[in-house]
Amino acid sequence: MAFFLETLFGGLMAGMLYALVALGFVLIFKASGVFNFAQGAMVLFAALAMARFAEWIPQWTGIDNKIVANVVAFMLAAGVMFICAWFIERLVLRHLVNQDAATLLMATLGITYFLEGVGQTIFGSEIYKIDVGMPKDPVFILESLFDGGVMVNQEDVIAALIAAALVVALSVFFQKTGTGRALRAVADDHQAAQSIGIPLSRIWVIVWCVAGVVALVAGMIWGSKLGVQFSLTTVALRALPVVILGGPTATVLKGRGSLQDIDQQALMAPHVVILGGGFGGLWATRALASAPVRITLVDRSNHHLFQPLLYQVATAGLSAPDIAAPLRHILRRQRNVERRVGG
């Protein structure tokens, strides 16, 4: 019985760590429809950055405190993953909108090889260690019930708690924040989300950033257990059964208030059409910001012109962009308005 409990606990702990990697798969799949085969390379790249920064920071700054060095290294590695997410959206995803799934899949394979090559070039190809202070020695529990007790690895327990805390934090983020609700809306329906003013490009950057942080946490934990080596890319393959069992659409993105509910409520609200984006039109639009209505603002141009200062432009005191602001920018925080250009 003790052996069975040891195997059960060990399997549960390992499953939570694989679920952490699988979460990165599902986040990107739900938000962009891309099955990201680069997730394993992201885990490796993030772990390499964490390991090397933790090694370089004491040399650069003279910091001897391991905790401070690891915190700074984690923040720098997270920054590197944010930059990678921005470049991936700018250089890859932006040019593949509305492409078929096979094209997107091949793009993620290309990202995999790119990250592996760049990681090896910048951070090296040796086996590195990540020492975050997690205890390596096992402990024995339930010694009063079983002869010799049940052996539990302390490192696995702490890693599982970190993984659970990250999942809880992501759940709160997706359920309670405006950005999280926008991500859920995109996960429900890309075109419908775009039609109500949610910018897909920004959402994709955020999703890849979140997946990068998840990959960093997974790489830090797996790197602490196994060492940072290129075999970490296979961790993602071993996490695929978790994705299959849980389903690629069963994530923390789900919750109350999905896009279908939001759309249904919006369609049932009264529809107000405002003609003109001048002072009166903007005043009326902003006055209805908290009202339960749908607003369509129609204007011949896509900007608001502050006409009292036209003489300043005529006398070269101001430039034209100084007195003309895009309507989209002025009303960017108002969710119940839709802008249309018309004569």
Side-chain angles (χ1 to χ4, degrees):
M1 186 63 181
F3 176 75
F4 170 76
L5 291 177
E6 286 180 8
T7 305
L8 179 64
F9 289 154
L12 289 174
M13 299 302 103
M16 290 194 68
L17 298 185
Y18 285 125
L20 194 60
V21 181
L23 185 61
F25 277 111
V26 181
L27 284 172
I28 294 177
F29 179 81
K30 280 287 290 181
S32 60
V34 180
F35 194 85
N36 180 30
F37 272 101
Q39 191 65 29
M42 291 172 64
V43 171
L44 171 64
F45 190 82
L48 280 172
M50 172 77 181
R52 297 299 277 164
F53 282 136
E55 180 183 342
W56 291 337
I57 286 172
Q59 300 174 6
W60 294 342
T61 62
I63 296 176
D64 294 329
N65 191 306
K66 183 187 300 184
I67 296 177
V68 175
N70 282 325
V71 170
V72 175
F74 183 89
M75 294 174 64
L76 290 176
V80 169
M81 297 309 295
F82 290 165
I83 294 172
C84 286
W86 186 83
F87 273 109
I88 287 171
E89 193 280 326
R90 286 281 176 173
L91 302 179
V92 181
L93 295 181
R94 175 167 295 193
H95 305 286
L96 297 177
V97 176
N98 297 325
Q99 297 294 323
D100 55 80
T103 303
L104 296 172
L105 177 63
M106 296 303 295
T108 63
L109 291 176
I111 294 171
T112 299
Y113 296 130
F114 178 79
L115 289 178
E116 289 179 356
V118 171
Q120 185 174 0
T121 302
I122 298 176
F123 302 115
S125 57
E126 302 295 328
I127 298 177
Y128 305 102
K129 69 175 183 178
I130 296 178
D131 186 6
V132 292
M134 289 195 297
K136 303 289 185 180
D137 298 329
V139 296
F140 293 89
I141 62 174
L142 303 178
E143 292 182 328
S144 60
L145 297 177
F146 304 101
D147 186 19
V150 177
M151 185 179 69
V152 176
N153 193 321
Q154 296 184 74
E155 186 178 29
D156 288 345
V157 173
I158 295 175
L161 291 176
I162 293 174
L166 181 60
V167 171
V168 171
L170 288 175
S171 298
V172 173
F173 171 72
F174 285 118
Q175 302 291 337
K176 302 299 183 181
T177 65
T179 303
R181 287 190 288 269
L183 290 170
R184 286 164 46 204
V186 173
D188 281 340
D189 191 311
H190 293 181
Q191 294 181 348
Q194 198 170 21
S195 69
I196 61 175
I198 297 176
L200 288 184
S201 59
R202 183 171 67 88
I203 292 299
W204 284 344
V205 170
I206 294 174
V207 168
W208 279 79
C209 286
V210 173
V213 172
V214 172
L216 175 58
V217 175
M220 180 183 68
I221 294 174
W222 283 104
S224 176
K225 289 171 60 67
L226 306 176
V228 180
Q229 50 190 317
F230 277 79
S231 62
L232 277 182
T233 56
T234 62
V235 170
L237 296 178
R238 295 197 293 271
L240 284 178
V242 180
V243 179
I244 295 171
L245 290 174
T249 60
T251 70
V252 292
L253 286 172
K254 288 189 175 181
R256 294 180 300 175
S258 62
L259 182 61
Q260 289 87 346
D261 297 332
I262 296 172
D263 287 344
Q264 187 65 25
Q265 295 172 4
L267 291 175
M268 294 176 62
H271 188 193
V272 177
V273 178
I274 298 176
L275 301 180
F279 292 107
L282 282 182
W283 182 88
T285 302
R286 286 178 166 176
L288 295 173
S290 59
V293 297
R294 291 184 299 128
I295 305 170
T296 299
L297 177 62
V298 182
D299 193 81
R300 287 181 294 182
S301 61
N302 61 355
H303 61 271
H304 170 72
L305 181 64
F306 194 81
Q307 295 185 4
L309 291 179
L310 276 174
Y311 76 96
Q312 292 275 15
V313 177
T315 58
L318 293 173
S319 62
D322 291 334
I323 65 169
L327 292 173
R328 182 180 183 89
H329 178 76
I330 296 173
L331 301 172
R332 65 189 183 278
R333 299 186 184 279
Q334 189 166 337
R335 298 296 183 184
N336 64 341
V337 62
E338 181 181 11
R339 294 159 298 277
R340 287 286 184 266
V341 177

